[in-house]
Amino acid sequence: MAKKKAADTETAERALTAIEIATELRTITEAIIEAGGECDDDTLAALTSWQAALEVKAENIGLVERRIEAECEYFRKIEEAARSRRKARENTIIRLRKYLAGAMQMAGTKRIKRNDGLFSISLVNGRESVEIDDIAKIPMDLCEIVEVVKPRTDAIKERLTAGQEVPGAHLERGEPYVMIR
């Protein structure tokens, strides 16, 4: 009977969320503070039990995170392999088209049409494109001037940390986060 009760308690603790466990811990801690820092054995046992429950919950979350990270890495590798295969296929298409264009030019053929009408192949003249030989010689009315301002955040952080004021910038602490190693 004791094993069943322990198993039921463990299942109930697993069903609690980390927030619910933290709420219980805060309630107990506040009660201890209100009592002037004094607590009885039952309160101390409850505090220890809830801290242990939070540790178990955190460990489980860490394990789930590790599993998800492994899945992400697996998907990243699949994406890289798929991207590589797609690029290879696209390059094959380019080579096939160039090969066919060369053959059609040699034969003097401009158009090939399938009997079933599924597709037709045409040899068309290439499109004109502008090639820039010397950018410095291009008239300014034919140029677009683009100016990019990129703040040096490392230098700004250095000054702000040293207590100096930097107009248009300030230090801001990010949200707390969990690091699992």
Side-chain angles (χ1 to χ4, degrees), residues 62-82:
L63 290 171
V64 169
E65 180 186 325
R66 288 283 164 87
R67 188 176 322 129
I68 293 171
E69 285 174 347
E71 287 176 354
C72 289
E73 182 60 29
Y74 171 74
F75 293 137
R76 192 174 301 114
K77 287 180 180 180
I78 289 174
E79 287 171 355
E80 290 170 7

Side-chain angles (χ1 to χ4, degrees), residues 7 13 17 23-24 39 46 54 64 72 78 89 93 96 120 123 135 151 171 173 181:
E13 284 180 3
T17 67
T23 302
E24 289 294 330
C39 68
L54 184 61
V64 169
C72 289
I78 289 174
R89 294 292 193 212
I93 290 169
L96 284 171
S120 64
L123 183 63
I135 197 166
L171 288 176
R173 173 105 24 219
R181 295 183 196 188

Side-chain angles (χ1 to χ4, degrees), residues 38-54:
E38 298 291 324
C39 68
D40 58 11
D41 290 341
D42 290 339
T43 306
L44 185 60
L47 181 65
T48 305
S49 173
W50 284 108
Q51 285 174 332
L54 184 61

Side-chain angles (χ1 to χ4, degrees), residues 133-140 143:
D133 301 320
D134 187 355
I135 197 166
K137 293 182 180 178
I138 305 290
M140 289 308 288
C143 292

Side-chain angles (χ1 to χ4, degrees), residues 32-176:
I32 293 172
I33 291 170
E34 285 178 15
E38 298 291 324
C39 68
D40 58 11
D41 290 341
D42 290 339
T43 306
L44 185 60
L47 181 65
T48 305
S49 173
W50 284 108
Q51 285 174 332
L54 184 61
E55 288 175 10
V56 168
K57 182 63 73 173
E59 288 172 2
N60 289 337
I61 290 170
L63 290 171
V64 169
E65 180 186 325
R66 288 283 164 87
R67 188 176 322 129
I68 293 171
E69 285 174 347
E71 287 176 354
C72 289
E73 182 60 29
Y74 171 74
F75 293 137
R76 192 174 301 114
K77 287 180 180 180
I78 289 174
E79 287 171 355
E80 290 170 7
R83 185 175 15 267
S84 175
R85 291 177 81 180
R86 179 182 53 84
K87 284 289 186 190
R89 294 292 193 212
E90 288 171 349
N91 290 336
T92 299
I93 290 169
I94 291 168
R95 284 192 309 275
L96 284 171
R97 287 181 180 219
K98 284 182 180 180
Y99 172 74
L100 183 56
M104 289 175 72
Q105 282 176 331
M106 263 182 154
T109 304
K110 293 282 186 184
R111 187 170 174 88
I112 298 171
K113 187 170 182 171
R114 285 179 48 118
N115 291 337
D116 60 7
L118 186 61
F119 60 84
S120 64
I121 301 168
S122 301
L123 183 63
V124 295
N125 292 330
R127 296 184 178 124
E128 289 183 343
S129 63
V130 174
E131 295 293 321
I132 306 296
D133 301 320
D134 187 355
I135 197 166
K137 293 182 180 178
I138 305 290
M140 289 308 288
D141 66 325
L142 298 174
C143 292
E144 183 178 335
I145 298 173
V146 178
E147 185 175 331
V148 178
V149 176
K150 184 178 179 203
R152 295 188 336 251
T153 54
D154 291 341
I156 293 170
K157 183 177 182 180
E158 227 175 80
R159 284 191 187 174
L160 290 171
T161 305
Q164 298 175 8
E165 189 174 318
V166 177
H170 68 279
L171 288 176
E172 192 169 308
R173 173 105 24 219
E175 290 288 320

